[in-house]
Amino acid sequence: MRDKTQTNSAGPGDRLIRAGAIVFFVGAVATLVTVAPLLLGTTPFPTYAYGLCMLMAVGFLIAGAGVLQSVAAGRRQARLAQAALQRE
């Protein structure tokens, strides 16, 4: 039996993974911008600017949740396929 899912369709968790990657890269850029004045010897940014660096961790967690959702959907699909094979 052939799977009806298109190869370019988004699976469960794919949107979370993409959103997490975007948030992570925004946090990475914020980290570079925030740390650059420290390395260049100029006036550092205010303390609250360092909070933007936490977007890296938030993005990582969002992407991790997407991976876990994708794994759970794959396991669910495998369990259903195995049950269908046992019925035949």
Side-chain angles (χ1 to χ4, degrees), residues 27-39 42-53:
V29 169
T31 300
L32 290 174
V33 169
T34 305
V35 172
L38 299 175
L39 299 175
T42 60
T43 307
F45 286 106
T47 306
Y48 64 85
Y50 292 94
L52 290 176
C53 299

Side-chain angles (χ1 to χ4, degrees), residues 4-61:
K4 303 275 191 243
T5 307
Q6 302 239 351
T7 56
N8 60 353
S9 65
D14 286 352
R15 288 184 184 155
L16 279 176
I17 294 170
R18 288 185 186 130
I22 291 169
V23 172
F24 180 86
F25 286 119
V26 168
V29 169
T31 300
L32 290 174
V33 169
T34 305
V35 172
L38 299 175
L39 299 175
L40 298 174
T42 60
T43 307
F45 286 106
T47 306
Y48 64 85
Y50 292 94
L52 290 176
C53 299
M54 290 305 296
L55 287 177
M56 287 177 62
V58 171
F60 188 78
L61 290 174

Side-chain angles (χ1 to χ4, degrees), residues 12 26-27 46 49 58 65 69 73 79-80:
V26 168
V58 171
Q69 188 178 18
R79 200 176 313 120
L80 290 173

